[in-house]
Structure formats: C-alpha cells, structure tokens
Amino acid sequence: MDDGIELVVEARRRQISDEMAVSRTLPFRLRRNVGPFVFVDTMGPVRFEPGEVFDVEPHPHIGLATITLLLEGEILHRDSVGSVQLIRPGEVNWMTAGRGVVHSERTPEDQRALARSVFGLQTWVALPLEHEEREPAFEHRRVDELPVWRDGGADVLLLVGDLDGRRSPVAVHSRLVEAKVVLDAGARWTVPTDHVERAVQLMEGAVHVDGRRFGDGELLVLEPDAEVELVADGPATVVLLGGDPLDAPRTIRWNFVSSDPERIERAADDWRERRFPPVPGDDGYVPLPEGWGSFG
C-alpha cells in the first residue's frame, strides 16, 4: 500500500564543536533539498553541567536564510548586522545572509554556571535567485506574535510561511512553510497539502503512518499531494517544512549556499582575508576548514 512517503532519511551524527553534536538529515545523497530547505540539523538534546558551555564562534554565510527553533534552553545570537538576541523556545529567529553575514551562537553569560539542556532545530533556506545577494537582515518573533491553533489532538505553531490559510508575520522571500506540531498521545494529524514539496522532521516521540513506525530523528519526505496521516505513538513533536521547488540547483560548501560555485570561492577568499563584516562585541573567528567540501 502506498503510504505517501517518498523517502525516509535517517539522521547522521555530525560534530559541530567540542561540546555539541548534531543530527543531520538534509542534505542527503538521495535528496538535496525539500522545497527551498537545503539543510536540517537537530541540536541535542544535550545536557550541560555547570561550567560547560555551547559556543559557536563567529562564522560567515551567503545566499541563505537560517531559522533557529529551540525546544529547550537558550542561546545568545549576535551578528554583523548588529543584532543581539536571546533565543528562547518556540520563538522564530530568521537571519537573511544574502550577500554576506557573520554570526555567533553562545551560552548566555548568566547561564554558564548553571546545569541546563539545549534542544532545537536549525534549518537553512536557499534564497531565490533574485535575492541571493540582497542586504543581510535579522528578524525575531516571539511566540505570542505567531499563529497558533488546535487541530484535533495537535497544537500547531506556524514559524514561517503559510499553512491552512494562516500566515506568519516573518518576512520571507519565497513560498515555504516551517511549523512545529505537538501531538497528544494517540492523536491523528493529517499533513496539509498546501505546498508542493513537504517533509516531516521527527523531534520527540514516535508516529505511525499506515502502520509503519517512525522516530529517532528521522525525516519523512512526502509525495506531492499525498494525504499523509500521522498517528502519535505517545506524546510527539514534529516539524513540518517545505515549499515550492527551488528555482535553480544550489551548491553548498561549508557555510555557503549559492547557485554560482564561483561565488562560493570568492566568499571563501573573503573570509580568509577577513573581508566579511565583524560581529560587534564578539571578536572570535572560525577558520575556513582545510580541504573544505560539500556537506552530506
């Protein structure tokens, strides 16, 4: 029986710092993107003891927008636009890199001596061709600014884009969706078919689709227009993401996304030569990796 699932991507572990490993589902060799989403990393859950910190020093991006969603913990974001923003669970943090931005993510100073947990999701959206070189920008939205509704036994929080006739206030540059969905134990939720390309990232718990059980951070890539019903095995949290197909193929190398591979080489040279703008209040630096190559 066709259950509407085109592909199941198992999470692959990647170390992004001495303190933090992530579970990566996109890009994948059989699926490089879902709509404009070209990168999906689950951070944690990880427990930090007093004195242990999560610090990602200043590093560059071009040609993309990042979405950081936390389920637990707090992270302090700083960027070369001048933004200083404490990221809290459920809030939207949309950073548009465009022609070039630098940012850092660190444990807030007042939490470094405390025991705490961090759990979240970071996604990258490839900007449309006409916006790849736009001015960098940062937008933050609190939970009370976002659409939230009850759908049967599921609570839906719309982070960016549109879903079920509702629209997030975040200013995006292409048609897309990212929504957090929390299902009660035993709840049934039918994934809306609003978008051409869709995927469901499992965050917590497990779900069944036509009797098949999924969990452990898997990404379910759905067939276009397929009506897929998720049945929660117990309490479960998933993130729906997707949108219109990309307007052109993209190259991903290190932290750079572009439709033009030569543009990525220029960005690498700019980073080596310290030509990117600095992050006010944070003078750290992540060197360009030796033999830097494509994610996957």
Side-chain angles (χ1 to χ4, degrees), residues 134-194:
R134 70 176 295 117
E135 287 293 310
F138 180 80
E139 183 175 358
H140 173 81
R141 294 286 182 169
R142 303 184 309 272
V143 176
D144 61 7
E145 297 178 89
L146 302 171
V148 180
W149 67 97
R150 184 78 171 168
D151 185 357
D155 291 312
V156 183
L157 171 65
L158 180 57
L159 303 167
V160 297
D162 65 277
L163 188 68
D164 271 350
R166 299 165 174 90
R167 182 174 297 277
S168 166
V170 176
V172 298
H173 310 295
S174 60
R175 184 144 191 262
L176 53 77
V177 64
E178 182 169 323
K180 184 183 77 165
V181 184
V182 180
L183 294 90
D184 300 337
R188 296 174 176 270
W189 184 66
T190 300
V191 182
T193 57
D194 301 30

Side-chain angles (χ1 to χ4, degrees), residues 234-271:
T237 300
V238 305
V239 173
L240 170 65
L241 54 88
D244 288 346
L246 278 178
D247 51 5
R250 294 302 196 276
T251 298
I252 306 175
R253 297 189 70 190
W254 194 40
N255 299 317
F256 305 135
V257 174
S258 181
S259 59
D260 179 4
E262 292 184 2
R263 175 68 178 93
I264 289 179
E265 294 298 336
R266 294 198 302 274
D269 287 341
D270 287 342
W271 184 243

Side-chain angles (χ1 to χ4, degrees), residues 32-208:
R32 307 306 295 177
N33 60 281
V34 175
F37 288 85
V38 296
F39 184 91
V40 177
D41 265 3
T42 300
M43 305 176 288
V46 61
R47 175 76 174 174
F48 292 99
E49 298 303 323
E52 294 179 340
V53 298
F54 165 60
D55 280 351
V56 179
E57 296 199 337
H59 58 280
H61 292 287
I62 65 166
L64 57 83
T66 66
I67 307 168
T68 303
L69 167 68
L70 290 179
L71 277 68
E72 294 181 49
E74 296 182 351
I75 294 174
L76 183 64
H77 165 98
R78 292 180 184 268
D79 62 42
S80 54
V81 178
S83 314
V84 180
Q85 180 62 56
L86 186 63
I87 302 175
R88 300 182 178 89
E91 299 176 339
V92 172
N93 303 274
W94 170 270
M95 183 181 71
T96 302
R99 60 181 175 78
V101 76
V102 182
H103 76 127
S104 64
E105 297 160 305
R106 297 185 181 273
T107 299
E109 287 294 334
D110 62 356
Q111 297 185 25
R112 291 176 173 252
L114 305 176
R116 66 210 178 280
S117 295
V118 173
F119 183 28
L121 186 74
Q122 187 167 89
T123 54
W124 294 358
V125 171
L127 293 174
L129 293 175
E130 62 181 314
H131 291 289
E132 281 191 303
E133 296 295 323
R134 70 176 295 117
E135 287 293 310
F138 180 80
E139 183 175 358
H140 173 81
R141 294 286 182 169
R142 303 184 309 272
V143 176
D144 61 7
E145 297 178 89
L146 302 171
V148 180
W149 67 97
R150 184 78 171 168
D151 185 357
D155 291 312
V156 183
L157 171 65
L158 180 57
L159 303 167
V160 297
D162 65 277
L163 188 68
D164 271 350
R166 299 165 174 90
R167 182 174 297 277
S168 166
V170 176
V172 298
H173 310 295
S174 60
R175 184 144 191 262
L176 53 77
V177 64
E178 182 169 323
K180 184 183 77 165
V181 184
V182 180
L183 294 90
D184 300 337
R188 296 174 176 270
W189 184 66
T190 300
V191 182
T193 57
D194 301 30
H195 296 271
V196 177
E197 298 186 6
R198 300 165 297 153
V200 174
Q201 175 67 55
L202 276 295
M203 298 296 295
E204 294 181 291
V207 299
H208 292 265

